[in-house]
Amino acid sequence: MAAGIQPMIEKDVHRMAKIAALSGFPEWLPAERLVEQHVIDVFREVAELHGFSGIETRAVEPLEQMLRKGEIDKEVYVLRRLHAEDDADDAGSDRSRTLGLHFDLTVPLARYVLEHQNDLVFPLRRFQIQKVWRGERPQDGRFREFYQADLDVIGQDALPGHIEAEVAVVMAEILDRLPMPAFTIHANTRRLSEGFFRAIGLEDHTAVLRNLDKLPKIGADRVRELLLSEAGASPEQAQACLDFASIRTRDGSFAHQVRELGGTGEMVEQGIAELTAVLERVEDAVPGVILADLSIARGLDYYTGTVFETFVEGHESLGSICSGGRYDALAADNRHTYPGVGLSIGLSRLVSRLVSAGLAKPSRSVPTCVLVSVTDEEHRHLSDAAARALRGRGIPCEVAPSAAKFGKQIRYADRRGIPFIWFPGTEGEADQVKDIRSGHQAAADAHTWEPPAEDRAVRVLAVPGIDS
Amino acid sequence: MAAGIQPMIEKDVHRMAKIAALSGFPEWLPAERLVEQHVIDVFREVAELHGFSGIETRAVEPLEQMLRKGEIDKEVYVLRRLHAEDDADDAGSDRSRTLGLHFDLTVPLARYVLEHQNDLVFPLRRFQIQKVWRGERPQDGRFREFYQADLDVIGQDALPGHIEAEVAVVMAEILDRLPMPAFTIHANTRRLSEGFFRAIGLEDHTAVLRNLDKLPKIGADRVRELLLSEAGASPEQAQACLDFASIRTRDGSFAHQVRELGGTGEMVEQGIAELTAVLERVEDAVPGVILADLSIARGLDYYTGTVFETFVEGHESLGSICSGGRYDALAADNRHTYPGVGLSIGLSRLVSRLVSAGLAKPSRSVPTCVLVSVTDEEHRHLSDAAARALRGRGIPCEVAPSAAKFGKQIRYADRRGIPFIWFPGTEGEADQVKDIRSGHQAAADAHTWEPPAEDRAVRVLAVPGIDS
């Protein structure tokens, strides 16, 4: 047994003084985990159908690479080896050698692309589903450990504009297959917003965006005041901005409205073409989920093309469950620049809502489809043989742990939601299988019997709302 | 966009001063990750077929619960919020509030079982595949971050002995389906060893085990000296111990040899019955992989029943790739004791060897089965439509990122190992599909064409050795 992998079970570790949940570190029971696993499986399946490669990056990054901006300092967990004083490689104050847990999957992707650029092929289509950590204050009710699921296409020195629509299509297909209420992907483009503000004579488009971003929180009247006082807008310009930000269309008709408000020029037309292409391609793939929403201002300071936010009907309080966009330089070194288009799902937040609001439920709490009962310990080998025959054809089953009375064995299955119980014939008679839900029992052969297709594997289903 | 999940892309984060691999934190290229993902998939599939539930625990545990024994102090990574000075909940020296990254999945399982005991059903059949962290000295060449894959059955207050054989069967089936060379699961039981040493008059069986454990390193002669000097053995007793430790049988014949050496009494017979049951059930399920190996001494101080170690042919230097056994008290509180049987694969170590030694290879480097080419950007929608039709039938495909010359598009596919390229008919003529490997090209309909079954999804295959 290699020391590197030996289990560290200590005789005295099992009596734990205090056992308590840690605020911000969610943990699922087995049935709840089935929901999370299903969401992860759907994400991976759709991403792979579109030719995306799954990668994982190490959980840690050098602190100095994560901290290019003071404001995020607070959220990073820094690592220290417990007995690090004697090790030169764990410097206390030297940030270049200090490691922190990654707080998203974008900084690691940028580092991964640069580190492995000679071994990767571009455009790189990658998805990544991993936990990230943020040292949020627990009183804010935020997660300190959570899954993010990212989907990006990264080019080397160039990346065609149509990739923006493509990534949105993949994400729409993922979201469409998740067991959750209706969702809408809101899209905007930087060129459209910036071009419009410039077209009506507002050069400080960053200030305009910063103010429009506050619309949901403080409302139109207060934003109007800020546009006048901070963005140098005239009352007419401020009104045009507010009108622009109120445009929401399912199809390309936003273009007409933008032009009506005075949006002219090459940049606006470029933005219109970009956004229209995104709307058309997503509508084509998953009808009814994409929306041009020109109020989106967040992220337009670093995204350089299309930007996306996603809201779930009736659960707008979650905020955007899936956001992203185009960035012209995810990473760069002296030889290459790496532009990208990426979307990211806050997977744990979403799963937490699906579970806590009862929106998605597994069809049973364990993978087991059939509990094979045991008549008595002398005949356990018959139960093992039946189970092996069933498993050989992909039917998940387990053998009862003890030869208890059949009533107790049935309760074992019932408590776990296992739909079938199998009774091996001990004296040469035929085996029997019973559907615990209907009570129906019949003779069966473990080499040929099939459960109904919907009972074979656990399914995770959306629970219809009260009024639907 | 909720602050909790907003992407933290900073405009200035992409120029990274130093990009370097971190010693001990392995990271895979996309094609290598396919091998790791395959190993994880096989583990999960077999575990679920046997009715095991997948769970995940948080990555952190309170330091004081991980440190019940001084010797592991060194290996724990302790967390600190970067700006923690102002937070009462991040105490520096107060271990009761300090968090560390888990170094295995056993301590977390014990805590999970106690914390959620009222919401779990027992026996709990659970598997868990997660990364763990150990602050090993990098110069030792060990991993500091690696996957472990655990499989355990946990009972409440009681757990039948036959579970030991059952867990070994599940693990044997998992290992048997992995793309790797032949492996052998070595098994021993505590009662057999302890019973034998007592039967020949050696009461300090712990000292005997400790010395026998050194056999592979220092050899029989040095161990004999230690048995005389440290375990109080006579020359005859030392010889009996060495003879006992040399017993290795594929079937129950070890029992006869043990009795011949003087192994008598209830404890020895119990051990013989246990080990024979394990051998028989594993042999029944996966012939030729289980071996009674009475030299196994490691772990017998905390395992209380059967103990397992697993070695891969030609790769014994890896040490045991899968170890575990029975423990009578994984966890306990004032009301209940939780006995368990568990096995754990050092998954990253194994995958690292499979990859670096070229033992397992994916059939291609990306999930994509078909690259749909683009004639020109005006006809990209035809390529999108063909791709959608193929994906609708589960065939992974991607559309060429640019309408480059066909030769360049074929090279795009070739570099990634994509086996097929699709040419949409632009002027009403039929689509064509070309097998890049054979060069064979034919007319095809995206709504009906099927790739050969073996090309549909990426497969990960064992690469036969030179002499096999």
Side-chain angles (χ1 to χ4, degrees):
Chain A
M1 189 188 292
I5 56 164
Q6 76 184 59
M8 293 197 188
I9 303 162
E10 309 304 337
K11 268 193 170 163
D12 50 348
V13 85
H14 62 268
R15 291 211 172 256
M16 297 184 175
K18 287 174 285 182
I19 298 295
L22 282 179
S23 172
F25 292 88
E27 216 167 53
W28 305 121
L29 291 169
E32 298 165 340
R33 167 67 182 162
L34 288 170
V35 177
E36 183 176 72
Q37 184 67 64
H38 176 73
V39 172
I40 290 171
D41 288 347
V42 167
F43 192 107
R44 173 182 163 195
E45 188 184 341
V46 175
E48 288 182 345
L49 262 181
H50 284 265
F52 283 71
S53 292
I55 67 159
E56 295 203 340
T57 56
R58 63 194 190 210
V60 301
E61 297 293 337
L63 188 59
E64 65 170 3
Q65 282 173 16
M66 289 197 283
L67 299 185
R68 296 300 178 100
K69 220 166 167 175
E71 63 183 79
I72 61 167
D73 274 24
K74 256 205 137 53
E75 304 195 346
V76 176
Y77 276 114
V78 177
L79 292 190
R80 168 176 71 82
R81 289 169 62 196
L82 191 56
H83 283 208
E85 306 86 54
D86 54 338
D87 286 307
D89 68 313
D90 290 81
S93 55
D94 178 5
R95 281 194 173 179
S96 74
R97 315 199 77 163
T98 302
L99 301 176
L101 291 174
H102 57 207
F103 53 76
D104 72 2
L105 302 178
T106 304
V107 171
L109 174 62
R111 193 263 315 150
Y112 181 91
V113 162
L114 287 184
E115 184 176 333
H116 303 287
Q117 55 185 308
N118 295 330
D119 298 310
L120 296 169
V121 282
F122 295 96
L124 172 68
R125 301 161 75 84
R126 92 86 171 78
F127 72 95
Q128 190 171 350
I129 307 169
Q130 274 183 269
K131 283 181 182 144
V132 303
W133 293 268
R134 294 185 188 174
E136 306 269 2
R137 288 171 169 278
Q139 56 267 39
D140 293 345
R142 292 193 182 131
F143 290 155
R144 295 179 144 197
E145 173 179 63
F146 56 97
Y147 265 114
Q148 256 186 219
D150 280 24
L151 190 76
D152 288 78
V153 179
I154 308 297
Q156 192 172 55
D157 298 321
L159 191 67
H162 62 78
I163 300 288
E164 296 169 42
E166 184 179 354
V167 173
V169 164
V170 183
M171 197 55 100
E173 289 185 15
I174 290 170
L175 295 170
D176 190 50
R177 286 169 63 167
L178 293 182
M180 65 174 190
F183 65 93
T184 307
I185 302 176
H186 298 233
N188 191 10
T189 81
R190 171 156 157 191
R191 270 177 279 272
L192 188 55
S193 288
E194 184 179 337
F196 178 80
F197 304 142
R198 290 188 192 278
I200 63 168
L202 288 168
E203 286 304 312
D204 190 357
H205 61 277
T206 310
V208 180
L209 286 169
R210 193 176 57 237
N211 292 325
L212 287 181
D213 188 37
K214 295 174 180 159
L215 265 173
K217 273 195 187 154
I218 63 175
D221 287 343
R222 290 274 298 118
V223 168
R224 187 193 315 273
E225 289 169 28
L226 291 173
L227 288 169
L228 298 176
S229 64
E230 293 189 1
S234 68
E236 293 72 27
Q237 288 171 324
Q239 187 58 48
C241 288
L242 289 169
D243 289 345
F244 175 85
S246 71
I247 295 174
R248 296 185 175 207
T249 68
R250 292 271 175 191
D251 59 18
S253 59
F254 73 90
H256 175 69
Q257 299 182 43
V258 168
R259 294 186 192 112
E260 286 281 292
L261 288 172
T264 57
E266 196 184 339
M267 200 182 221
V268 167
E269 290 303 322
Q270 251 190 351
I272 285 173
E274 282 172 18
L275 193 51
T276 303
V278 167
L279 290 182
E280 286 176 358
R281 279 185 68 184
V282 175
E283 183 67 25
D284 231 30
V286 184
V289 304
I290 187 84
L291 179 76
D293 177 354
L294 309 195
S295 74
I296 295 182
R298 183 80 60 96
L300 288 188
D301 50 338
Y302 48 81
Y303 289 123
T304 53
T306 317
V307 59
F308 303 96
E309 298 196 354
T310 310
F311 299 92
V312 180
E313 210 170 90
H315 299 272
E316 289 78 8
S317 64
L318 272 177
S320 171
I321 58 151
C322 174
S323 310
R326 161 142 195 155
Y327 31 94
D328 280 343
L330 168 76
D333 62 12
N334 293 330
R335 294 180 300 150
H336 295 294
T337 298
Y338 294 92
V341 178
L343 274 162
S344 174
I345 295 184
L347 197 142
S348 293
R349 271 176 69 87
L350 178 60
V351 168
S352 177
R353 178 61 62 98
L354 296 181
V355 166
S356 65
L359 298 171
K361 285 215 160 73
S363 55
R364 54 184 184 254
S365 70
V366 293
T368 314
C369 174
V370 181
L371 176 73
V372 182
S373 70
V374 175
T375 309
D376 50 51
E377 288 300 335
E378 287 69 51
H379 291 93
R380 176 171 291 277
H381 65 281
L382 293 178
S383 305
D384 284 343
R388 196 175 313 138
L390 292 167
R391 276 186 210 113
R393 293 180 299 110
I395 301 166
C397 55
E398 58 183 286
V399 176
S402 76
K405 286 180 183 159
F406 281 140
K408 198 175 168 194
Q409 296 191 44
I410 291 173
R411 273 200 303 285
Y412 177 100
D414 206 33
R415 284 189 71 188
R416 291 159 172 81
I418 299 172
F420 295 97
I421 185 161
W422 194 274
F423 302 103
T426 47
E427 306 290 343
E429 70 269 37
D431 292 5
Q432 301 261 323
V433 64
K434 178 184 183 128
D435 184 326
I436 290 178
R437 300 156 301 187
S438 68
H440 178 76
Q441 186 167 333
D445 180 338
H447 294 89
T448 55
W449 178 82
E450 279 285 336
E454 69 268 23
D455 285 331
R456 214 168 218 278
V458 183
R459 287 165 304 134
V460 175
L461 304 161
V463 178
I466 293 165
D467 52 8
S468 68
Chain B
M1 187 188 291
I5 56 163
Q6 73 185 62
M8 292 195 189
I9 304 162
E10 309 303 337
K11 269 193 167 163
D12 50 349
V13 84
H14 61 268
R15 290 212 172 257
M16 296 183 175
K18 287 175 284 180
I19 299 293
L22 281 179
S23 172
F25 292 88
E27 216 167 52
W28 306 121
L29 291 169
E32 297 166 340
R33 167 67 182 162
L34 287 170
V35 176
E36 183 177 72
Q37 183 67 64
H38 176 72
V39 172
I40 290 172
D41 287 347
V42 167
F43 191 107
R44 174 181 163 196
E45 188 184 340
V46 175
E48 288 182 347
L49 262 182
H50 284 265
F52 283 71
S53 293
I55 67 160
E56 294 203 340
T57 56
R58 64 195 190 211
V60 302
E61 297 293 337
L63 188 59
E64 65 168 3
Q65 282 175 13
M66 289 196 284
L67 298 185
R68 296 301 178 99
K69 216 165 171 180
E71 64 184 79
I72 61 168
D73 274 25
K74 255 206 140 52
E75 304 195 347
V76 177
Y77 275 115
V78 177
L79 293 191
R80 166 175 73 82
R81 289 169 62 196
L82 191 55
H83 284 207
E85 306 84 55
D86 53 340
D87 286 307
D89 68 313
D90 290 81
S93 55
D94 179 4
R95 281 195 174 179
S96 73
R97 318 198 77 165
T98 303
L99 300 177
L101 291 174
H102 57 210
F103 53 77
D104 73 2
L105 302 178
T106 304
V107 171
L109 174 62
R111 193 262 315 149
Y112 181 91
V113 163
L114 287 184
E115 183 177 333
H116 303 288
Q117 57 183 305
N118 295 330
D119 298 310
L120 296 169
V121 283
F122 294 95
L124 172 68
R125 300 161 76 84
R126 92 85 173 79
F127 71 94
Q128 188 170 352
I129 307 169
Q130 273 183 270
K131 284 182 181 142
V132 304
W133 293 268
R134 295 185 187 173
E136 307 268 2
R137 288 172 170 277
Q139 57 267 40
D140 293 344
R142 293 194 182 131
F143 289 155
R144 295 179 144 197
E145 173 178 61
F146 57 97
Y147 265 114
Q148 257 187 219
D150 280 24
L151 189 76
D152 289 78
V153 178
I154 309 296
Q156 192 172 53
D157 299 320
L159 191 67
H162 61 78
I163 300 287
E164 296 169 43
E166 184 180 355
V167 173
V169 164
V170 183
M171 197 55 100
E173 290 185 15
I174 290 170
L175 294 170
D176 189 49
R177 286 168 64 167
L178 293 182
M180 65 176 192
F183 64 94
T184 307
I185 303 177
H186 298 232
N188 190 9
T189 80
R190 173 158 155 187
R191 269 177 281 272
L192 188 55
S193 287
E194 184 179 337
F196 178 80
F197 304 141
R198 289 189 191 279
I200 63 168
L202 288 168
E203 285 306 311
D204 190 356
H205 61 277
T206 312
V208 180
L209 287 170
R210 193 175 57 239
N211 293 325
L212 288 181
D213 188 36
K214 297 174 180 160
L215 265 172
K217 275 194 187 155
I218 63 175
D221 287 341
R222 289 277 295 124
V223 167
R224 186 194 315 273
E225 289 170 26
L226 290 173
L227 286 170
L228 298 175
S229 64
E230 292 189 2
S234 68
E236 294 72 25
Q237 287 170 325
Q239 187 57 47
C241 288
L242 290 169
D243 290 344
F244 176 85
S246 71
I247 295 174
R248 296 185 174 205
T249 68
R250 292 270 175 193
D251 58 18
S253 60
F254 72 90
H256 175 68
Q257 299 182 42
V258 169
R259 293 189 192 111
E260 286 279 295
L261 288 173
T264 56
E266 197 183 340
M267 200 181 223
V268 167
E269 290 303 323
Q270 251 188 350
I272 286 173
E274 280 171 18
L275 193 52
T276 304
V278 167
L279 290 182
E280 287 177 356
R281 280 186 67 183
V282 174
E283 183 66 26
D284 231 29
V286 184
V289 304
I290 187 84
L291 178 76
D293 176 354
L294 309 194
S295 75
I296 295 183
R298 184 81 58 97
L300 288 187
D301 49 339
Y302 48 82
Y303 289 122
T304 53
T306 319
V307 59
F308 302 97
E309 298 195 356
T310 310
F311 298 91
V312 179
E313 208 170 274
H315 299 272
E316 289 77 7
S317 64
L318 270 176
S320 171
I321 59 150
C322 174
S323 310
R326 161 142 195 156
Y327 31 94
D328 279 344
L330 168 75
D333 62 12
N334 294 329
R335 294 181 301 150
H336 295 294
T337 298
Y338 293 92
V341 179
L343 275 163
S344 175
I345 296 184
L347 197 142
S348 292
R349 270 176 71 85
L350 178 59
V351 168
S352 176
R353 178 61 62 99
L354 296 181
V355 166
S356 65
L359 300 171
K361 283 215 161 71
S363 54
R364 54 185 184 254
S365 71
V366 293
T368 313
C369 174
V370 181
L371 175 72
V372 182
S373 70
V374 176
T375 310
D376 50 50
E377 287 300 335
E378 288 69 51
H379 291 92
R380 177 172 290 278
H381 64 281
L382 293 178
S383 305
D384 283 343
R388 198 174 314 138
L390 292 166
R391 277 186 209 113
R393 294 180 299 110
I395 301 166
C397 55
E398 58 183 285
V399 176
S402 75
K405 285 181 183 158
F406 282 139
K408 198 176 168 192
Q409 296 192 43
I410 291 172
R411 272 201 303 284
Y412 176 102
D414 206 32
R415 283 189 71 188
R416 291 158 173 82
I418 300 172
F420 295 98
I421 185 161
W422 194 272
F423 302 102
T426 48
E427 306 290 344
E429 68 269 35
D431 292 5
Q432 300 261 323
V433 65
K434 177 184 183 131
D435 184 325
I436 291 179
R437 300 158 299 188
S438 68
H440 178 75
Q441 184 167 335
D445 181 338
H447 294 89
T448 54
W449 178 82
E450 280 285 336
E454 68 269 22
D455 285 331
R456 214 168 217 279
V458 184
R459 287 164 304 134
V460 175
L461 304 162
V463 179
I466 292 166
D467 52 6
S468 66

